[in-house]
Amino acid sequence: MESIDEKTENIFDIKITITRATNMHGKKAGNVLSFLRMDLNGAMLGESEKRAVDPIAEYIEYDFSRTFPCCNEVLPLSDIPHKPVIVTLTEVVPEKKKAEAKSVVLGQAVIDLLPLLQGECSFSSTVALHATHGAPEKGSTPAPVTKHPTLDVCVSASAPLLTEEQLSTSNLMKVSLETAYSLPDTFNQSFGPSAPQYICTAIMEVPCTAEKDQLLLFSEGQLHAGGHREDNGRQRKRPHHAHLAPGNHFLPGAFFHTQPIDQEDGELTSLEDREFRNEAETLLNRVSWDTEMPCFLDAEGVTRLRQKITESRFWPLEIMKSPNANEKSGAASKMQADEDPHIPCHGVAFIDMGRLLYPGVTHIRGAYSIQPYSTTLLLNKTRRNISLFKEQFKPGASKDRSGTATSSAKTNTGKAKDTKGHVKGAGNQSISSVTDLNGSDPIPPDRKAYLDFRTYIIIEITLTNPLIPKTSSEELARRVKALIPPRPPSSGGPNKAERAVLNFHKQVGNVVKHILEQYEELFGTRLKLPNGCNQEQMMAQLMGALNVSGRYFAFKEQIKPTVVKFVRDKMQQTDTFTEQQDLHEFVSKLYVDLVDEMHVALNKIYSNGMEDDSPDEIHLSTSHLRHFAREAQLIGNYHLAVQYYQELVVRNPRDPSHKFEWGNLYMQTGDYMKAKMCFHDAVAVQQSHQPSLIMCGVLAAMFNDFEQAETFLERATSIEPPSLVAWTLLGLVQDSQNKSILAERAFLEAKSLLKAKEASNQPHKSEESDMDEESDKQKCQEEEKTIAPTSHSPNMKQSDTETGDTVHSEPKEKVIPKSIYTETLEFLLHNYALEMAEHALSKELSSKGNHSFHLACVQFLRAEYCSAIVTLREALLRVEPVADMWALDGHCHYLCGSFAEAQGSYERSLDFPEQPSDTHLVLLRLGSIYLQEEKLEELWIAEEALTEANHLNNQNAEVWAYLALICLRFSKQEEAELFYKYAIRFNLENASLQKEVKKLQDQAQTRPLASCFQLHV
């Protein structure tokens, strides 16, 4: 797209009309004869005729108009935001003793043309007339001012300065320089009646078009004494006001507002820096500009701005101390005469512009440290090697500018080539700090003072439009919908599975009806048995009659389609079996389910509405099914877990959480394609299901489909409540693609959520702090009395007691450190996303704190049990242990076959007030260890542990089998037989456990026979 400033054929005319002046009062009482003068960029546009005030209406009619060209060399678009039209109202005062009248300036007004760059073709406004510096004449009696004088103005353009496309692609940047704090002594010496007066000047460069840069020169930094804070709501100043009345120095309706330090975007925001900043901003002297500089950027300028930030996110803001206006011209001439002039107190602050590339961001504000200026530092941080001040003071530099020292545009082509070549030659140099430059680039004392006093400056940058638009939640929802079409809601009434069961019940009822009809034909309606006929004979006779009449064959044919639907819709079995064993197991389960449903149907027929209170009938709730599925998953019985999840999905087809948990199972088994199907099904059921969207993004990243991964994760971040895990994973995915700025933004969002979460939990923690202190004191007293720590179990390793002194010699962290990565690790480990978990763990290991527990969790899931044990031991020495740490240690030893160590760890995990997250698995494995040891005193403990496990899940076949073993060892044969029947009923698949129960049952049966032989002997 062609630059706007280069379109010489698109020159527009701007017309300014001043209709009247209101509330005018002259230097002397009476009629006022006055005229207007209009100036732009130091050149006069014209003067109006002399007009007198209307004594009745109390206003002056001017109808003064001037037209001037725009979008040319005289007034390019880039100058419109910061070069207003100045209107001066002058009174003509007749002199009594002189022939000529005397002119006295009454006031000055400023007309901003900025609305013309914001899409308006014409506008009207009322601008204030402010008094100039002129003092009242001797003997004059000014009329009392009751109302402020104003001018009524109309501004119009011959055509819109920007087309709709240009308006949408251009931008308006406003750079506001506020205050510099903690000044060096060289600045503080400027205070006092005899001290020379100085001002501070700052300079910055921004692009405005494809080939032109704009220098922003803030030259009116005034030294102010400390002892108070800067006023909140103080008014912003115009960028250059040398020719303006004092009242026109300020921008109407533009004010500075204070912002909490923790919400700033710059440096010095940590807790350690806040005390220093509070002192500096309250007590110490400072330099204030409070100036806002607007800059117009066309489409190419916006593109170039975005490109320059991508290449180097740190932009220099140079600062210097310069003499006041009376001495400034001489000092400037002296510096221009030197080829390499010494710039007094030359410092530089590096503004981090990277945040402007965050999606949707239009505003940054913060404090930035001022460092001693150094060419090497400038090159390493910003990839440029030329000081803006030195360029400004070069001989002839003012001629190359556009005529103003405050803001100018310059061609960038030649300089860019020179800079590029210089950077290429120094490309191997690394970014170093100022302290590394002492040898190669000495720092003058007046610059080094910036480091000693930790001087910093506050700057604010705003844009009308973000450089990177933020994708709306509606657009993200549309993208997810395109990837995973939503599943239409089911119509009212039962679902397919429920209809299959109801149809089966209906067919059972039809069969019962026809059997009753056949029975009545043979035996009548009497209930008593006929003479000479028992029940078996009647059954045989009835079956024979059903076969002869053909009713039995008809029953089978009628019920076949119902059974097929039952298998397909209720049991969700549609694939053919390749293994005979699988077919046999399925047919057995089908038979059990059909018999159970037949009993349900018969109960409905003969119960007459009465509820079935049979203790053998087990009705499982959804919560029980979820618990059993999770337990089967933990102990490795994946086939049983799949059955539970199938039942959950059949019961609640519109609940996405069951599909999500089913996908979690396939993540554990490594079947990622089936896991992906489950997560996609969950999103299809509910498009805003946050955990499923996150896992869809994780799997997409695992398959290197980063575009889809970002879509899913961004959608997850846009759903309430905000997800810390989603933001962190989005940052990890973007970091893996070298999108450093976007990743940084995602991590910052996650950290803010973590901070808010910790703040919300703070009141609860403060209430418990007193209790924790008392318990810690008691522990310390007990430990002082104890010579060496005693083990909970005699089977604990000797190394634990030997290292007891080491445990107490080093202070332990109270809790496992929390960060955005640990929170994300817990989610990923829970869902067995090991590849992404390792990426998050690598980020966490690079930060401070002990992360051994999370490393051990990753090692455990990768079946590296020995490594996990070593890592856990390190964690137990450095971090205050929790129940899950000891439980994980027990699992590692149990799976390694070290049952004695596992027993000790399991027992310790159960001693904590907060039980392990997998208590049921801990109890089950602990009970099995007690059984293996066959210690009578511990069999009671095993029975208690297994009984507790049975309460948590009364359909676990292994728990029933272990309880049967305990009863057999205590010679409780009847209970053992009952428990073993329950184990068989719930499909006990552990062959070794079955063999052990059978062995003990045989021993129990032969024991009475052996005792009989002993009695006879």
Side-chain angles (χ1 to χ4, degrees):
M1 183 177 176
E2 190 181 5
S3 176
I4 296 175
D5 285 349
E6 292 180 353
K7 292 184 177 181
T8 55
E9 67 275 8
N10 293 336
I11 298 178
F12 306 98
D13 289 333
I14 297 178
K15 181 180 180 181
I16 300 179
T17 301
I18 303 175
T19 56
R20 69 178 64 180
T22 310
N23 303 322
M24 288 306 305
H25 303 279
K27 293 291 183 180
K28 296 183 179 180
N31 293 336
V32 178
L33 184 64
S34 61
F35 65 92
L36 299 176
R37 172 184 170 129
M38 196 181 298
D39 295 273
L40 175 64
N41 198 16
M44 185 181 73
L45 297 178
E47 290 184 353
S48 71
E49 297 179 358
K50 299 179 178 62
R51 298 293 178 90
V53 65
D54 188 335
I56 300 176
E58 295 186 354
Y59 59 78
I60 304 175
E61 288 285 354
Y62 286 106
D63 290 329
F64 172 49
S65 299
R66 278 295 178 269
T67 302
F68 55 92
C70 176
C71 304
N72 58 3
E73 294 181 357
V74 177
L75 184 64
L77 287 180
S78 57
D79 283 354
I80 290 180
H82 58 84
K83 290 186 178 179
V85 175
I86 301 174
V87 180
T88 307
L89 189 147
T90 305
E91 180 185 9
V92 180
V93 182
E95 292 286 345
K96 295 180 181 179
K97 298 181 181 180
K98 294 182 181 180
E100 295 182 359
K102 181 180 179 181
S103 298
V104 178
V105 177
L106 291 181
Q108 184 190 78
V110 172
I111 303 173
D112 288 306
L113 304 179
L114 185 59
L116 296 178
L117 290 179
Q118 297 173 331
E120 297 187 27
C121 193
S122 63
F123 64 91
S124 300
S125 64
T126 300
V127 295
L129 271 167
H130 293 282
T132 57
H133 298 284
E137 233 181 18
K138 268 189 179 182
S140 64
T141 308
V145 177
T146 57
K147 295 182 180 180
H148 201 83
T150 59
L151 293 179
D152 295 335
V153 180
C154 294
V155 180
S156 62
S158 58
L161 301 188
L162 300 175
T163 64
E164 291 294 334
E165 181 184 0
Q166 291 171 341
L167 187 63
S168 62
T169 56
S170 61
N171 217 321
L172 183 68
M173 175 189 287
K174 295 180 180 179
V175 180
S176 300
L177 195 62
E178 298 186 26
T179 310
Y181 293 99
S182 189
L183 303 175
D185 285 338
T186 53
F187 286 84
N188 296 326
Q189 293 171 0
S190 301
F191 288 93
S194 60
Q197 294 299 312
Y198 287 91
I199 60 173
C200 289
T201 303
I203 193 170
M204 186 177 181
E205 185 180 68
V206 297
C208 58
T209 65
E211 296 182 354
K212 292 182 180 179
D213 291 332
Q214 185 170 344
L215 283 180
L216 310 182
L217 190 65
F218 301 88
S219 58
E220 296 294 333
Q222 301 293 330
L223 295 171
H224 290 209
H228 62 88
R229 284 190 175 273
E230 293 294 303
D231 295 333
N232 182 26
R234 63 192 186 277
Q235 202 163 4
R236 298 172 188 256
K237 297 178 182 177
R238 296 183 184 275
H240 47 88
H241 39 75
H243 303 288
L244 297 180
N248 288 325
H249 290 182
F250 300 95
L251 288 167
F255 304 93
F256 286 104
H257 298 285
T258 57
Q259 183 181 6
I261 294 178
D262 58 352
Q263 295 180 12
E264 291 182 355
D265 304 305
E267 306 164 7
L268 304 175
T269 57
S270 64
L271 293 174
E272 296 78 8
D273 296 320
R274 293 182 190 178
E275 184 177 354
F276 160 70
R277 285 188 58 179
N278 182 59
E279 179 182 356
E281 294 174 19
T282 305
L283 303 176
L284 303 183
N285 301 332
R286 73 285 309 266
V287 172
S288 294
W289 286 270
D290 290 343
T291 300
E292 177 181 285
M293 180 82 74
C295 314
F296 175 77
L297 288 76
D298 63 11
E300 290 82 357
V302 172
T303 302
R304 188 157 162 259
L305 172 65
R306 190 162 47 237
Q307 180 182 358
K308 288 188 67 174
I309 296 176
T310 304
E311 294 172 354
S312 176
R313 63 185 299 169
F314 296 103
W315 288 26
L317 172 73
E318 297 182 40
I319 186 173
M320 62 174 285
K321 187 175 76 168
S322 57
N324 62 2
N326 297 328
E327 304 175 5
K328 186 175 180 181
S329 57
S333 301
K334 183 179 179 181
M335 283 189 283
Q336 286 181 356
D338 297 336
E339 292 185 0
D340 187 16
H342 173 73
I343 301 175
C345 300
H346 193 184
V348 59
F350 296 101
I351 313 302
D352 186 0
M353 303 284 284
R355 295 194 178 215
L356 290 177
L357 294 186
Y358 292 178
V361 170
T362 59
H363 171 268
I364 59 172
R365 179 185 180 275
Y368 297 90
S369 299
I370 299 178
Q371 304 180 37
Y373 176 84
S374 164
T375 305
T376 307
L377 175 65
L378 183 69
L379 177 63
N380 290 334
K381 292 284 282 186
T382 67
R383 298 185 180 181
R384 56 176 296 138
N385 61 344
I386 301 175
S387 166
L388 295 175
F389 275 132
K390 290 185 178 180
E391 276 195 324
Q392 183 75 7
F393 295 132
K394 280 182 180 179
S398 58
K399 296 180 182 179
D400 296 334
R401 310 295 178 185
S402 60
T404 173
T406 305
S407 177
S408 60
K410 61 185 179 66
T411 304
N412 189 59
T413 308
K415 188 197 73 172
K417 292 181 180 178
D418 180 67
T419 304
K420 185 176 180 181
H422 197 118
V423 172
K424 185 175 181 181
N428 296 327
Q429 298 180 11
S430 60
I431 296 177
S432 59
S433 64
V434 177
T435 55
D436 297 330
L437 305 174
N438 292 332
S440 60
D441 196 357
I443 303 175
D446 60 340
R447 300 182 188 178
K448 187 176 182 299
Y450 286 125
L451 289 178
D452 300 333
F453 285 82
R454 299 180 65 189
T455 310
Y456 62 93
I457 191 168
I458 296 179
I459 189 172
E460 177 186 51
I461 301 175
T462 59
L463 297 168
T464 53
N465 301 311
L467 296 178
I468 305 294
K470 183 179 181 181
T471 308
S472 65
S473 58
E474 293 79 12
E475 172 61 20
L476 291 171
R478 188 195 63 77
R479 293 179 185 177
V480 171
K481 186 177 180 180
L483 294 173
I484 306 176
R487 185 172 300 167
S490 58
S491 57
N495 55 38
K496 286 185 177 181
E498 293 171 343
R499 285 199 298 270
V501 174
L502 292 175
N503 289 336
F504 180 76
H505 291 174
K506 183 178 180 181
Q507 289 299 327
V508 170
N510 291 335
V511 170
V512 170
K513 178 182 177 182
H514 290 295
I515 292 176
L516 284 175
E517 291 177 356
Q518 187 71 53
Y519 179 89
E520 291 176 358
E521 291 178 5
L522 291 175
F523 307 109
T525 58
R526 57 187 176 181
L527 299 177
K528 293 183 179 180
L529 295 175
N531 295 330
C533 184
N534 57 25
Q535 189 172 1
E536 288 76 10
Q537 293 174 341
M538 291 180 64
M539 180 67 70
Q541 188 176 355
L542 178 61
M543 287 298 298
L546 289 172
N547 281 313
V548 171
S549 64
R551 286 178 173 174
Y552 182 75
F553 179 77
F555 295 159
K556 290 198 299 182
E557 292 301 319
Q558 290 176 7
I559 210 169
K560 275 183 181 179
T562 307
V563 174
V564 170
K565 289 184 178 179
F566 189 93
V567 171
R568 183 183 61 201
D569 298 336
K570 175 67 167 61
M571 305 184 71
Q572 293 190 339
Q573 180 62 45
T574 57
D575 299 333
T576 57
F577 292 96
T578 58
E579 297 292 337
Q580 192 66 25
Q581 180 66 22
D582 296 339
L583 176 61
H584 177 72
E585 292 178 357
F586 176 76
V587 171
S588 301
K589 186 177 186 311
L590 174 62
Y591 174 77
V592 172
D593 289 352
L594 289 175
V595 170
D596 289 343
E597 293 299 338
M598 182 187 68
H599 290 160
V600 173
L602 292 175
N603 288 334
K604 288 181 180 179
I605 297 172
Y606 294 106
S607 63
N608 294 324
M610 300 296 292
E611 294 184 1
D612 182 21
D613 296 330
S614 173
D616 294 334
E617 189 68 29
I618 300 176
H619 300 282
L620 295 178
S621 65
T622 300
S623 60
H624 283 114
L625 284 173
R626 293 181 68 180
H627 178 81
F628 298 159
R630 184 64 181 169
E631 178 199 85
Q633 186 176 344
L634 287 174
I635 64 178
N637 193 346
Y638 304 126
H639 179 71
L640 181 60
V642 168
Q643 293 180 3
Y644 283 128
Y645 286 127
Q646 284 179 337
E647 180 67 22
L648 284 166
V649 171
V650 167
R651 286 192 183 186
N652 308 283
R654 302 301 301 178
D655 190 343
S657 61
H658 304 320
K659 275 287 187 181
F660 174 78
E661 292 166 354
W662 197 350
N664 175 281
L665 169 65
Y666 287 125
M667 290 293 295
Q668 183 178 2
T669 60
D671 195 343
Y672 298 124
M673 293 306 298
K674 287 187 177 180
K676 179 181 177 181
M677 291 174 59
C678 288
F679 296 136
H680 279 227
D681 285 346
V683 175
V685 170
Q686 185 181 5
Q687 293 273 295
S688 60
H689 191 244
Q690 205 172 50
S692 296
L693 286 168
I694 294 175
M695 287 307 299
C696 285
V698 170
L699 283 172
M702 289 175 59
F703 292 123
N704 295 325
D705 192 344
F706 297 111
E707 184 179 355
Q708 280 195 17
E710 289 191 50
T711 298
F712 287 124
L713 292 172
E714 284 184 24
R715 175 58 179 150
T717 60
S718 67
I719 298 172
E720 294 293 334
S723 172
L724 180 152
V725 173
W727 278 113
T728 306
L729 287 173
L730 178 61
L732 291 174
V733 170
Q734 291 169 338
D735 182 67
S736 64
Q737 303 174 77
N738 296 323
K739 298 180 179 179
S740 57
I741 292 180
L742 293 178
E744 176 187 285
R745 171 249 188 174
F747 292 145
L748 283 176
E749 291 285 350
K751 289 176 182 178
S752 65
L753 291 175
L754 178 63
K755 187 176 180 180
K757 180 180 177 181
E758 292 175 345
S760 63
N761 296 334
Q762 199 64 33
H764 179 68
K765 291 182 180 179
S766 61
E767 292 176 2
E768 296 180 349
S769 60
D770 297 336
M771 299 176 61
D772 292 339
E773 290 179 2
E774 294 179 2
S775 62
D776 290 342
K777 290 180 180 178
Q778 293 178 359
K779 286 182 181 179
C780 292
Q781 293 175 359
E782 293 175 0
E783 290 172 357
E784 289 175 359
K785 296 178 183 178
T786 306
I787 299 175
T790 58
S791 175
H792 179 84
S793 170
N795 297 312
M796 286 296 293
K797 294 194 295 186
Q798 185 67 23
S799 60
D800 294 342
T801 58
E802 290 175 357
T803 57
D805 296 335
T806 307
V807 172
H808 299 293
S809 63
E810 296 181 3
K812 292 186 178 182
E813 299 179 28
K814 284 292 182 183
V815 292
I816 299 173
K818 284 289 184 182
S819 70
I820 60 173
Y821 303 112
T822 57
E823 296 271 340
T824 306
L825 261 173
E826 292 171 5
F827 175 86
L828 294 172
L829 293 175
H830 180 75
N831 291 286
Y832 303 96
L834 295 184
E835 184 178 333
M836 190 64 74
E838 288 178 344
H839 191 180
L841 183 62
S842 65
K843 290 286 185 180
E844 178 64 16
L845 292 176
S846 63
S847 61
K848 295 180 180 179
N850 187 276
H851 316 291
S852 302
F853 176 65
H854 296 99
L855 177 59
C857 292
V858 174
Q859 293 169 337
F860 174 77
L861 292 180
R862 299 189 77 88
E864 300 171 357
Y865 304 124
C866 295
S867 300
I869 290 172
V870 175
T871 307
L872 276 171
R873 289 301 172 188
E874 179 184 352
L876 290 168
L877 291 174
R878 297 186 178 184
V879 182
E880 193 71 27
V882 294
D884 280 338
M885 295 176 67
W886 283 111
L888 182 62
D889 187 67
H891 294 327
C892 293
H893 283 104
Y894 184 89
L895 295 173
C896 287
S898 304
F899 299 117
E901 290 81 358
Q903 175 186 338
S905 296
Y906 284 146
E907 289 172 346
R908 284 198 173 190
S909 71
L910 296 173
D911 283 345
F912 286 84
E914 184 177 352
Q915 295 293 288
S917 56
D918 54 350
T919 306
H920 182 73
L921 185 61
V922 170
L923 292 171
L924 181 61
R925 288 178 171 172
L926 184 60
S928 67
I929 293 172
Y930 290 154
L931 283 174
Q932 292 174 6
E933 293 182 349
E934 298 186 4
K935 293 181 181 180
L936 186 62
E937 65 274 10
E938 292 183 345
L939 285 177
W940 297 103
I941 303 175
E943 184 176 14
E944 292 179 1
L946 290 168
T947 302
E948 178 66 23
N950 182 261
H951 288 162
L952 294 173
N953 182 1
N954 62 357
Q955 290 195 357
N956 189 303
E958 291 191 5
V959 173
W960 287 114
Y962 281 125
L963 287 172
L965 284 175
I966 293 176
C967 291
L968 286 171
R969 287 176 179 164
F970 280 119
S971 300
K972 300 178 181 178
Q973 296 185 22
E974 293 183 0
E975 294 183 13
E977 184 177 357
L978 178 62
F979 292 157
Y980 187 63
K981 285 182 179 179
Y982 277 114
I984 298 300
R985 177 179 179 180
F986 295 118
N987 300 322
L988 178 63
E989 297 180 355
N990 192 329
S992 61
L993 193 56
Q994 287 184 5
K995 184 177 180 181
E996 188 174 357
V997 174
K998 286 289 187 183
K999 179 180 177 181
L1000 289 179
Q1001 283 180 335
D1002 293 340
Q1003 291 177 1
Q1005 291 175 359
T1006 58
R1007 196 176 296 119
L1009 183 62
S1011 61
C1012 291
F1013 281 111
Q1014 291 175 0
L1015 287 174
H1016 286 294
V1017 174

